Amino acid sequence: YAPWCPACQQIELTWENFAKESEHLDITVGKVDVTQEPGLSGRFFVTTLPTIYHANDGVFRRYRGSRTLEDLQGYVLERKWEAVEPVAGWKSPSSIIMHGMAGLFHLSGWIRQIHSYLIGTLGVHVYVSYAIFILATLLIGLFLGL
């Protein structure tokens, strides 16, 4: 989820009630703010918000059902997750590809922090910051090419 997302805000109360009932369902319910954990959004290939996953014994399934408390509980209690196709092996959050994707998301967050530092703290003009990143990209490409 993301705090600014209207759909996430809409499901928030339902999700909190589902989390309260999780002890009776013998499951663990959690939520992750993708703005604080960009690597996880890369690892889980999050393209829409909110995204709900069911994980059991290292097998991940994306929940695409209704977002009501009753349907969420029914998905677990009635074991409806068994009828859902697991996430493909290469898309699995534990795969090497998704590990690399998480690294790219971390890198983009790091670049954004450097850009913010340059323009916010040092007072560098935005276009100068862009020029620095362009130059760095060219130099890294040249170095790797050699």
Side-chain angles (χ1 to χ4, degrees), residues 5-16:
C5 168
C8 299
Q9 293 167 355
Q10 191 174 21
I11 193 177
E12 188 171 12
L13 182 61
T14 302
W15 193 254
E16 288 181 14

Side-chain angles (χ1 to χ4, degrees), residues 115 118-119 123-135:
H115 176 69
L118 289 172
I119 64 172
V124 173
H125 193 274
V126 173
Y127 291 115
V128 174
S129 176
Y130 291 158
I132 291 169
F133 282 108
I134 290 169
L135 183 61

Side-chain angles (χ1 to χ4, degrees), residues 34 37-47 53 60 87-106:
V34 295
E37 299 292 338
L40 282 177
S41 64
R43 185 176 294 267
F44 282 85
F45 207 63
V46 174
T47 56
Y53 277 96
F60 294 87
V87 174
W90 68 273
K91 277 182 155 181
S92 174
S94 57
S95 75
I96 218 77
I97 293 173
M98 290 298 114
H99 185 71
M101 184 72 82
L104 288 175
F105 275 69
H106 280 295

Side-chain angles (χ1 to χ4, degrees), residues 26-106:
D26 196 30
I27 61 171
T28 301
V29 175
K31 65 180 182 178
V32 176
D33 181 350
V34 295
T35 61
Q36 298 296 316
E37 299 292 338
L40 282 177
S41 64
R43 185 176 294 267
F44 282 85
F45 207 63
V46 174
T47 56
T48 58
L49 292 173
T51 300
I52 300 172
Y53 277 96
H54 173 268
N56 188 25
D57 294 330
V59 177
F60 294 87
R61 291 174 172 84
R62 186 161 175 193
Y63 177 78
R64 297 183 190 271
S66 171
R67 307 285 173 92
T68 65
L69 180 60
E70 294 77 25
D71 287 332
L72 290 167
Q73 290 172 333
Y75 185 78
V76 175
L77 288 173
E78 298 167 21
R79 300 177 69 90
K80 292 180 181 177
W81 52 269
E82 291 177 333
V84 176
E85 182 86 20
V87 174
W90 68 273
K91 277 182 155 181
S92 174
S94 57
S95 75
I96 218 77
I97 293 173
M98 290 298 114
H99 185 71
M101 184 72 82
L104 288 175
F105 275 69
H106 280 295

